[in-house]
Amino acid sequence: MAKKSAFEELCGMAREIALLHSCGAVLGWDQETYLPPKAVEYRAAQLSLLSAKAHALVTGRRFRGLLEKAVAEWGSDKSPDSVRTEANLREWTHQVDRAARIPTALVAQESALTARAKHAWSEARRRSDFASFAPYLRDIVGLARRKAALWGFEEEPYDALLSGYERGAKTRTVAVLFETLQPRVAEIARKAVERSRARPRVERGGKYPVERQKILNEEIARDIGFDFHAGRIDTTAHPFCTTLGPADVRLTTRYEERDFTSSLFGVLHEAGHGLYEQGLVAADYGLPTGEAVSLGIHESQSRLWENHVGRSVEFWQKWYPRAVELFPCLKRVELEAFLAELNRAEFSFIRVEADEATYDLHIFLRFDVERRLVSGELEVEEVPRAWAEGFEALFGVVPSGDAQGCLQDIHWSMGGIGYFATYTLGNVNAAQLFESARRERAVAAGLKEGRYGPLLEWLRNRVHQPGSRYFPQDLMVRATGRATDPKPYLAHLRRRFLGS
Amino acid sequence: MAKKSAFEELCGMAREIALLHSCGAVLGWDQETYLPPKAVEYRAAQLSLLSAKAHALVTGRRFRGLLEKAVAEWGSDKSPDSVRTEANLREWTHQVDRAARIPTALVAQESALTARAKHAWSEARRRSDFASFAPYLRDIVGLARRKAALWGFEEEPYDALLSGYERGAKTRTVAVLFETLQPRVAEIARKAVERSRARPRVERGGKYPVERQKILNEEIARDIGFDFHAGRIDTTAHPFCTTLGPADVRLTTRYEERDFTSSLFGVLHEAGHGLYEQGLVAADYGLPTGEAVSLGIHESQSRLWENHVGRSVEFWQKWYPRAVELFPCLKRVELEAFLAELNRAEFSFIRVEADEATYDLHIFLRFDVERRLVSGELEVEEVPRAWAEGFEALFGVVPSGDAQGCLQDIHWSMGGIGYFATYTLGNVNAAQLFESARRERAVAAGLKEGRYGPLLEWLRNRVHQPGSRYFPQDLMVRATGRATDPKPYLAHLRRRFLGS
């Protein structure tokens, strides 16, 4: 048997690390879905053991030694699948470099801090009291600044944080994109809210038994291509999607008895993430080429299925009769009225409950606050005031308290600073990918007839299967002919909310 | 800070090993409850990684070195809790000795094999096709023989397997007990079946909605003392109980819409196991003194709650009105008739559905088949025939196919050879413990009034809290004044089924 190349050995080690991570993912999923309350403490110990073991392998001498050897060997490699090798070596080098710059003590400090901060945040939100969370946020921002300094950056510290979620992204580029979007989205939102206000509210209240919601959700998820032999749907307080192995993608949603669309759009959104995960090359599971490339691309998949497919007329022409069959109380509601309700625009305080027209305004605000916090332009104590002012400028109202304002999202308490921009990147990418996909006759015809196979195949080939072969912006160019471009998204919002 | 003793360091390491095992337990539980079918293969890889890591720690130089040092230190120890230290050192020495005899590669091989075999078994049982499971069973029996040879034994290879489940037990002693029991149980069974046949069947068929069964099951499990903040109940094909951490005990059951007692007795049985697990000393989780001592003692707890408590007149005097409330179709059935049905004796093919009178006959059969398989007297291909012949001799009928015969139980597919005798040991121990407990006035009074606290406390003190401090037979002597004795069990069967 031929001796394994350093690259092959590296792949083997990466697969073992992925195995450990995937065990942690199973425990994490169980924690959100089924864990009894008294077991929380021990679960934390289980998870930290697994992540410590995986971390030790990634940062250990053996992995780094193999990587150096493989990079050296690579210069002389003439193998046909050179893009795959190159991409994996590039991403591993990047990951090891980032990991090596953070001292182990800092990692431990961060995980201890965020464990306490998550608890403090949920208490602070419950009491709508930013002051009690402020000391934690101060430490978290301090840590973020230190990490940014250790990782290094060209223009501003926020770059170093953002690129952990969106490979190759620059804060300035995102800021420019957001400056283009903000006045336009704000105008569309304002008009959309006006139009919605002028329209009488259609009462579609009734009882939507959870068991029947589950039937509809599963039928729809299966129909758009989610493979239930390699995944499932469970119930949690906050919907999410997590991957426990190359053929094991778990979605979750939450149910409201008075409104079946809440759980359904949770499923459509998470199934969009899930289709991406199920579309990755299983043989490369654990290697960068078998992993999603960035959050901005991931979110494009969830938003594409949730909004572009799931809120369209064509979609409901297919599915409304089935919904009426399952929920007889819908008999009183015409399809057109149902659709108008579905796309009602309103100014609301909570991002996760926001409609498409107003959603990005929440993101612009938080991106701005975060960026200024990290640069030092804004101090932690000033956050509630900055939030309220920014919110008023965008929405015309002031949140009634911190819980409805700057405390609403969990991300800061988890140390997730630099994350938020990817939500709007996802919206913009989704519109651009959907527009390109629909230019293909088979995709357009499929959507008209309620067949989602051609669209999924288009996404499989251009977005899912490459994994992390290319940087997100290169992926966008390859898939659509250009880098992330706000035009298709703005056109989509105008079409949907202003009918123009 | 004082330097840690070798014993303390050993405890720390044992807790880390337990952490790894408990991660595997989470993945194993998920595999039985929620795992999508395509994920089976990767799950096997995840489980084998975790078990290999745990095995490497137990058999590694560090653990063994610490153990030797701790044993040496122990000679001079005068600490007050010396029984605890001694028991832990005794059990670790035993475990390390057993583990060290099994090469790590064999452990990984076994865990990968059994993960696949479980899947193959469930397919084979569905199609009632032993031939498709035979190749897996051949590998599993081969592994069992190899392990027995590596562990070593005094009299026969089966000893080495049995003592993995029942510390200190000998095949010959069990065989002698079974020889005493078999003719007596067979006679009671024969008469009990005759009596039941002579009695008209009471129709309690109706619809028992699963959601209502769940309500009753949870109320009863909670009432006998199961802590739902440290455990839960899910649904599986084959009920079981598994512990995922010191405060996380998962029970499962299965539901039949035509008979609520099927899921309820599944829960009572598994809750009996669960009460034992929840009664162990949490601070010693991961140490032998915080672990159940044997399967024969474990099964005594499940059978005690299932049969001695759950099938008694007093129990149903309390719970029958609630059952009637939840299932109005029971209104037509008098309590006395319901109880008679509950304790109806029949010759049936499936062990887990067998009544108390005929249950042990299934065990005698499988114990005999297993013992001969391991000794090499019987080959895997001959199992279906041997099963059918043995079954006919005991029950007077032949199973109609493999699903109703030798494929009915999951244990072989999990590598659990040497396990079955503990079911009958459990029955015998249960009767003996229950007889002793009821001699206490508070326990007897509690049972009469439907208060299970005094019984649970008696079991907590005498059976649960000792963990593995004493050998099972020593535990029985301490709790009841004598070693495992068939008399109370035979008396119980005669009283219940022959009214004498």
Side-chain angles (χ1 to χ4, degrees):
Chain A
M1 211 171 70
K3 196 180 158 299
K4 272 189 187 166
S5 70
F7 178 73
E8 285 165 327
E9 279 191 62
L10 205 52
C11 289
M13 220 180 144
R15 288 181 210 280
E16 189 181 328
I17 293 163
L19 255 177
L20 275 167
H21 278 305
S22 70
C23 294
V26 178
L27 273 74
W29 170 85
D30 178 72
Q31 177 165 28
E32 300 304 321
T33 49
Y34 298 115
L35 194 74
K38 288 184 186 170
V40 170
E41 188 125 350
Y42 197 73
R43 180 54 49 90
Q46 292 171 315
L47 284 168
S48 86
L49 176 81
L50 291 175
S51 63
K53 287 212 178 291
H55 186 257
L57 286 177
V58 177
T59 54
R61 208 167 303 172
R62 189 163 159 247
F63 193 81
R64 282 193 285 176
L66 282 172
L67 182 56
E68 274 169 37
K69 229 172 117 188
V71 170
E73 274 177 17
W74 166 242
S76 57
D77 182 358
K78 298 276 175 285
S79 74
D81 197 11
S82 66
V83 177
R84 172 173 174 268
T85 312
E86 190 178 11
N88 283 319
L89 292 176
R90 180 194 71 218
E91 292 307 306
W92 279 326
T93 303
H94 175 71
Q95 286 165 17
V96 164
D97 178 60
R98 269 177 84 94
R101 285 165 189 262
I102 306 294
T104 309
L106 198 73
V107 175
Q109 192 187 334
E110 181 171 27
S111 78
L113 171 61
T114 53
R116 273 180 286 117
K118 269 185 278 188
H119 186 69
W121 164 77
S122 89
E123 272 303 291
R125 189 179 67 157
R126 198 176 54 78
R127 301 197 317 268
S128 195
D129 170 28
F130 180 80
S132 70
F133 179 59
Y136 297 92
L137 185 56
R138 210 170 294 127
D139 288 348
I140 283 167
V141 171
L143 257 175
R145 287 177 189 156
R146 270 189 69 196
K147 279 163 57 183
L150 290 164
W151 280 327
F153 49 86
E154 276 174 40
E155 292 177 356
E156 57 181 297
Y158 198 82
D159 282 345
L161 305 171
L162 172 65
S163 67
Y165 302 107
E166 196 64 24
R167 187 83 165 94
K170 283 261 187 298
T171 312
R172 195 169 40 82
T173 324
V174 170
V176 167
L177 174 72
F178 284 12
E179 277 157 29
T180 310
L181 281 170
Q182 185 166 321
R184 292 167 179 81
V185 171
E187 199 204 332
I188 296 167
R190 195 181 45 75
K191 289 184 181 163
V193 170
E194 257 170 39
R195 280 178 159 235
S196 292
R197 276 188 192 140
R199 216 167 47 211
R201 200 173 267 285
V202 178
E203 190 47 67
R204 65 168 189 216
K207 229 195 148 201
Y208 300 89
V210 170
E211 290 312 310
R212 287 176 167 235
Q213 292 190 40
K214 286 184 179 172
I215 292 169
L216 183 65
N217 294 349
E218 292 214 2
E219 283 180 9
I220 289 179
R222 186 171 287 114
D223 196 52
I224 65 172
F226 185 78
D227 180 358
F228 279 93
H229 289 105
R232 46 178 291 119
I233 305 177
D234 293 271
T235 307
T236 48
H238 297 278
F240 66 86
C241 166
T242 181
T243 295
L244 314 189
D248 194 355
V249 176
R250 311 275 174 114
L251 317 178
T252 73
T253 193
R254 57 178 160 201
Y255 295 88
E256 283 180 29
E257 282 241 313
R258 309 282 304 166
D259 179 9
F260 77 102
T261 65
S262 165
S263 75
L264 173 60
F265 283 98
V267 165
L268 273 169
H269 181 96
E270 303 308 334
H273 286 303
L275 288 171
Y276 187 6
E277 293 287 315
Q278 289 187 337
L280 293 163
V281 175
D284 274 5
Y285 185 82
L287 315 186
T289 48
E291 276 162 6
V293 66
S294 78
L295 291 189
I297 298 297
H298 229 309
E299 190 73 5
S300 78
Q301 299 306 290
S302 54
R303 298 297 270 179
L304 189 151
W305 290 99
E306 176 190 5
N307 291 333
H308 294 271
V309 176
R311 293 183 193 273
S312 68
V313 183
E314 297 79 8
F315 182 84
W316 286 103
Q317 278 166 343
K318 173 173 185 179
W319 285 105
Y320 200 60
R322 177 64 177 141
V324 174
E325 204 172 279
L326 286 164
F327 311 117
C329 59
L330 284 176
K331 277 193 188 119
R332 298 177 273 105
V333 185
E334 294 294 320
L335 170 58
E336 207 176 331
F338 171 79
L339 272 165
E341 271 318 290
L342 205 59
N343 289 313
R344 177 175 281 281
E346 276 173 323
F347 286 132
S348 61
F349 295 118
I350 304 295
R351 174 187 65 89
V352 294
E353 291 162 9
D355 50 73
E356 251 187 301
T358 59
Y359 186 93
D360 299 290
L361 304 180
H362 296 269
I363 309 302
F364 301 145
L365 172 59
R366 192 174 287 258
F367 174 71
D368 177 62
V369 169
E370 264 188 33
R371 191 184 180 193
R372 285 156 61 204
L373 260 180
V374 171
S375 74
E377 195 190 311
L378 193 70
E379 287 308 320
V380 164
E381 302 72 56
E382 301 170 306
V383 165
R385 218 200 47 224
W387 189 279
E389 286 172 6
F391 200 89
E392 191 173 16
L394 283 162
F395 293 83
V397 281
V398 175
S400 64
D402 298 333
Q404 297 223 304
C406 60
L407 279 181
Q408 65 183 270
D409 274 301
I410 196 175
H411 303 61
W412 287 345
S413 74
M414 294 162 64
I417 293 179
Y419 186 116
F420 259 76
T422 65
Y423 285 123
T424 286
L425 286 179
N427 285 338
V428 175
N429 291 337
Q432 188 172 333
L433 289 165
F434 193 66
E435 185 197 59
S436 292
R438 283 179 67 169
R439 288 217 186 95
E440 293 228 349
R441 198 195 303 248
V443 174
L447 289 169
K448 217 164 195 170
E449 296 155 20
R451 287 180 296 103
Y452 309 106
L455 172 62
L456 181 57
E457 203 196 325
W458 192 94
L459 294 168
R460 285 269 189 262
N461 292 330
R462 284 163 186 80
V463 181
H464 305 174
Q465 278 167 19
S468 295
R469 269 183 157 71
Y470 318 111
F471 275 23
Q473 286 305 307
D474 296 333
L475 185 87
M476 288 301 293
V477 172
R478 298 178 76 96
T480 69
R482 61 201 194 284
T484 297
D485 171 2
K487 279 190 217 83
Y489 182 49
L490 290 167
H492 159 73
L493 290 180
R494 288 199 189 96
R495 217 164 29 238
R496 176 155 290 171
F497 289 98
L498 312 181
S500 63
Chain B
M1 211 169 68
K3 197 180 157 299
K4 271 188 187 165
S5 70
F7 179 72
E8 284 165 326
E9 278 191 63
L10 205 52
C11 288
M13 221 181 143
R15 288 181 209 281
E16 189 183 328
I17 293 164
L19 256 177
L20 275 168
H21 278 305
S22 71
C23 293
V26 179
L27 273 73
W29 170 85
D30 178 73
Q31 178 167 25
E32 299 305 321
T33 50
Y34 297 116
L35 193 73
K38 288 185 185 169
V40 170
E41 190 92 6
Y42 196 73
R43 180 54 49 90
Q46 292 170 316
L47 285 167
S48 91
L49 177 82
L50 292 174
S51 63
K53 285 209 181 295
H55 182 74
L57 287 177
V58 177
T59 54
R61 208 167 302 171
R62 191 164 156 247
F63 193 81
R64 283 193 284 175
L66 283 171
L67 182 55
E68 274 169 36
K69 229 172 117 188
V71 169
E73 276 177 17
W74 166 243
S76 56
D77 181 0
K78 298 276 174 288
S79 73
D81 197 9
S82 68
V83 177
R84 174 174 174 267
T85 312
E86 188 178 15
N88 283 320
L89 292 176
R90 179 195 72 218
E91 291 306 306
W92 278 327
T93 303
H94 174 71
Q95 285 165 17
V96 163
D97 179 57
R98 268 177 85 92
R101 289 165 188 262
I102 307 294
T104 304
L106 198 74
V107 174
Q109 189 189 333
E110 180 171 27
S111 121
L113 169 63
T114 54
R116 274 180 281 119
K118 271 187 273 186
H119 189 69
W121 163 77
S122 91
E123 275 301 292
R125 190 180 67 156
R126 197 175 55 76
R127 300 199 315 267
S128 194
D129 171 27
F130 180 79
S132 71
F133 179 59
Y136 296 92
L137 184 56
R138 211 169 290 128
D139 289 349
I140 283 166
V141 170
L143 260 173
R145 288 178 189 156
R146 270 188 67 196
K147 280 163 57 184
L150 289 164
W151 281 326
F153 47 86
E154 277 176 40
E155 293 178 354
E156 57 180 298
Y158 199 81
D159 281 345
L161 304 171
L162 171 65
S163 67
Y165 301 107
E166 195 64 25
R167 186 82 165 96
K170 283 262 187 298
T171 311
R172 198 169 38 83
T173 323
V174 170
V176 167
L177 175 70
F178 284 13
E179 276 157 30
T180 310
L181 282 170
Q182 186 165 324
R184 291 168 180 80
V185 170
E187 197 203 333
I188 296 166
R190 195 179 46 74
K191 289 185 182 160
V193 169
E194 255 170 41
R195 279 177 161 237
S196 291
R197 275 190 193 140
R199 214 167 52 210
R201 197 172 269 283
V202 178
E203 189 48 64
R204 66 169 189 215
K207 228 196 147 200
Y208 300 89
V210 170
E211 291 312 310
R212 287 177 168 233
Q213 293 190 40
K214 288 183 177 172
I215 292 169
L216 182 65
N217 294 349
E218 292 212 5
E219 282 179 10
I220 289 178
R222 186 172 286 114
D223 195 53
I224 65 172
F226 186 77
D227 179 358
F228 279 93
H229 289 107
R232 47 178 289 120
I233 305 177
D234 293 272
T235 307
T236 48
H238 192 108
F240 65 86
C241 166
T242 180
T243 295
L244 313 189
D248 193 355
V249 176
R250 310 273 174 115
L251 317 179
T252 73
T253 193
R254 58 179 159 199
Y255 296 88
E256 283 180 30
E257 283 241 311
R258 310 282 303 169
D259 179 11
F260 77 101
T261 64
S262 165
S263 75
L264 173 60
F265 282 97
V267 165
L268 272 169
H269 181 96
E270 303 308 335
H273 286 302
L275 288 171
Y276 186 6
E277 293 288 316
Q278 289 187 337
L280 292 164
V281 175
D284 274 5
Y285 185 82
L287 315 187
T289 48
E291 276 162 9
V293 66
S294 79
L295 292 189
I297 298 299
H298 229 309
E299 189 71 7
S300 77
Q301 300 306 288
S302 54
R303 298 296 272 180
L304 188 151
W305 290 99
E306 177 191 4
N307 291 334
H308 294 271
V309 176
R311 292 183 193 273
S312 68
V313 183
E314 296 80 8
F315 183 83
W316 287 102
Q317 279 166 344
K318 173 172 186 182
W319 286 104
Y320 199 61
R322 178 62 177 143
V324 175
E325 202 172 281
L326 286 164
F327 311 117
C329 60
L330 284 176
K331 278 193 188 120
R332 297 176 274 109
V333 185
E334 295 294 321
L335 171 58
E336 205 178 332
F338 171 80
L339 272 165
E341 272 316 290
L342 204 60
N343 289 314
R344 176 176 281 281
E346 273 172 325
F347 287 131
S348 63
F349 296 117
I350 304 295
R351 173 187 65 90
V352 295
E353 291 163 8
D355 50 75
E356 259 187 295
T358 59
Y359 187 92
D360 298 290
L361 304 180
H362 296 267
I363 308 304
F364 301 145
L365 171 58
R366 194 175 286 258
F367 174 70
D368 177 61
V369 168
E370 266 189 31
R371 193 182 179 192
R372 285 156 60 205
L373 259 180
V374 171
S375 73
E377 194 189 311
L378 194 70
E379 287 307 320
V380 164
E381 302 73 56
E382 301 170 306
V383 164
R385 217 199 48 223
W387 189 280
E389 286 172 8
F391 200 89
E392 193 174 13
L394 284 161
F395 293 83
V397 281
V398 175
S400 65
D402 298 333
Q404 298 223 305
C406 59
L407 277 182
Q408 66 182 270
D409 273 302
I410 197 175
H411 304 64
W412 287 345
S413 77
M414 294 162 63
I417 293 180
Y419 185 118
F420 259 76
T422 65
Y423 284 122
T424 286
L425 287 178
N427 285 338
V428 175
N429 291 336
Q432 189 172 331
L433 289 164
F434 193 66
E435 185 196 61
S436 292
R438 283 179 69 170
R439 287 215 188 96
E440 295 229 348
R441 196 195 306 247
V443 174
L447 288 171
K448 217 166 196 169
E449 296 156 20
R451 288 181 296 102
Y452 309 106
L455 172 61
L456 182 58
E457 203 196 326
W458 192 93
L459 294 168
R460 286 269 189 262
N461 292 332
R462 284 164 186 79
V463 182
H464 304 174
Q465 279 167 20
S468 295
R469 270 183 157 73
Y470 319 111
F471 274 23
Q473 287 305 308
D474 295 334
L475 185 86
M476 288 301 293
V477 171
R478 298 177 76 96
T480 70
R482 62 201 193 283
T484 297
D485 171 1
K487 279 189 218 83
Y489 183 49
L490 289 168
H492 160 74
L493 289 181
R494 286 198 190 97
R495 214 164 33 240
R496 178 156 286 171
F497 290 98
L498 311 182
S500 62

